[in-house]
Amino acid sequence: MKQELHSKDEKLKAFGDFLDVLDILRVQCPWDAKQTNESLRPNTIEEVFELADSLIQNDTPNIKKELGDVLLHVAFYSKIAAEKGDFDIADVCDSLVEKLKFRHPHIFGNVKVSGAEEVAQNWEQIKLKEKKGNKTVLSGVPSALPALIKANRIQEKARNVGFDWDTKEQVWDKVKEEIAEVETEILNKDQDALEKEFGDLLFSVVNAARLYGVDPENALEKTNKKFISRFNYLESKAKENNIDIKEMTLEEMDRFWEEAKKLEHK
């Protein structure tokens, strides 16, 4: 059953109540009172990953909870900045509204677009205008991003300024080329070169996923979870049969693995 959504006034009141609670905690709670940007940063990263995990699982109750945790951190950093006289949460919102309007001229201006693809391409051009030529196309990719996500963002940004394959099918020649180069370095037994070629291969596979509309991070995480589920089943079956998993043959493992796969489709 769908929950009845709140009115704008109710949303504003809820947000105000939240800010009031944060103000109280910042003064009266010893833990909250001592937090800094530096101390909160690791927690923020953890909260974002927890939200990402809930999104992958499509766990609506947890998505709501984790969004709250992320919102808390946004407001907390704004609160710390306000105490220093730098900015407050209203400045954050005003800056965001200004940016959204500027980056959506097809909504708030006179620009015409044919669809979402053209919006994405215009986005990078607009961002470069915001930087007034002081930064490069790829400078907006955070260096701390996990490598898989970073590769996808690099490729998306390059695509949005026209650096991409003419057709998505062309990417498979590149993937095959990279596989061949990996195989060559395996024969050469050059570990440094092999690492480089594996990196090139992974980058090309990320490129292929992007071109076919697949988020590589989401795809790999779903496979991770699938593997964990199947392996946990295998492990549980080994215990049920009083078998040391380290002593199992590959054939025995495969039998339980196939059972786990069949259970997924029931």
Side-chain angles (χ1 to χ4, degrees):
M1 183 177 179
K2 293 286 186 181
Q3 177 181 317
E4 185 177 347
L5 300 180
H6 297 87
S7 67
K8 183 177 180 179
D9 286 343
E10 289 172 327
K11 293 173 186 175
L12 291 172
K13 181 182 184 305
F15 191 65
D17 291 343
F18 157 59
L19 294 178
D20 289 342
V21 169
L22 181 58
D23 287 344
I24 292 169
L25 292 176
R26 183 65 172 165
V27 174
Q28 298 184 20
C29 174
W31 186 89
D32 289 284
K34 74 174 187 178
Q35 296 311 305
T36 64
N37 286 344
E38 292 72 23
S39 67
L40 283 174
R41 182 177 177 274
N43 300 72
T44 305
I45 295 170
E46 181 179 343
E47 296 297 353
V48 171
F49 275 105
E50 288 179 356
L51 172 59
D53 191 49
S54 296
L55 290 167
I56 284 284
Q57 297 180 50
N58 198 27
D59 185 341
T60 301
N62 253 341
I63 291 173
K64 180 175 71 172
K65 171 184 173 295
E66 299 302 341
L67 281 171
D69 291 342
V70 171
L71 178 60
L72 171 60
H73 282 248
V74 172
F76 214 142
Y77 289 119
S78 302
K79 176 67 176 173
I80 292 170
E83 292 166 357
K84 297 176 181 178
D86 295 334
F87 61 83
D88 62 19
I89 191 68
D91 295 311
V92 173
C93 294
D94 288 342
S95 176
L96 179 57
V97 168
E98 181 182 354
K99 180 168 67 176
L100 287 173
K101 288 183 176 180
F102 183 74
R103 292 188 184 178
H104 291 79
H106 54 289
I107 302 297
F108 300 101
N110 300 317
V111 174
K112 304 295 182 182
V113 294
S114 58
E117 185 68 21
E118 191 174 351
V119 171
Q121 291 172 353
N122 289 345
W123 187 273
E124 292 300 332
Q125 300 292 342
I126 292 169
K127 288 172 73 173
L128 286 174
K129 288 180 183 177
E130 287 177 336
K131 298 168 185 175
K132 298 178 181 178
N134 294 328
K135 293 186 178 181
T136 64
V137 172
L138 300 181
S139 62
V141 180
S143 59
L145 278 179
L148 187 66
I149 299 175
K150 186 189 293 185
N152 195 44
R153 291 295 295 127
I154 288 170
Q155 293 166 10
E156 286 177 341
K157 284 183 172 291
R159 173 204 65 189
N160 288 335
V161 293
F163 189 78
D164 206 356
W165 304 100
D166 290 330
T167 65
K168 61 185 178 183
E169 290 79 12
Q170 292 174 318
V171 74
W172 296 114
D173 288 333
K174 185 63 176 175
V175 172
K176 291 171 185 175
E177 175 189 323
E178 298 300 348
I179 291 173
E181 290 178 0
V182 166
E183 292 172 338
T184 297
E185 295 309 333
I186 289 173
L187 294 174
N188 291 339
K189 297 182 179 179
D190 184 333
Q191 194 63 28
D192 289 339
L194 181 60
E195 180 182 55
K196 170 182 173 295
E197 296 303 340
F198 262 115
D200 291 346
L201 174 58
L202 290 170
F203 195 84
S204 67
V205 171
V206 168
N207 220 343
R210 174 186 63 81
L211 287 166
Y212 282 85
V214 173
D215 184 291
E217 175 70 18
N218 289 344
L220 183 57
E221 182 57 14
K222 287 177 180 177
T223 295
N224 288 340
K225 290 183 180 299
K226 181 170 60 179
F227 184 93
I228 290 169
S229 175
R230 292 176 184 178
F231 195 86
N232 286 344
Y233 179 85
L234 186 160
E235 195 171 22
S236 68
K237 284 299 181 180
K239 289 179 180 178
E240 284 180 19
N241 290 275
N242 296 317
I243 302 173
D244 184 342
I245 193 170
K246 296 178 183 177
E247 303 299 324
M248 292 177 70
T249 66
L250 187 56
E251 289 74 17
E252 288 173 323
M253 289 185 176
D254 281 341
R255 179 163 59 86
F256 290 132
W257 190 268
E258 291 301 318
E259 286 182 13
K261 286 174 66 174
K262 289 177 182 177
L263 288 172
E264 291 172 357
H265 301 293
K266 285 187 176 181

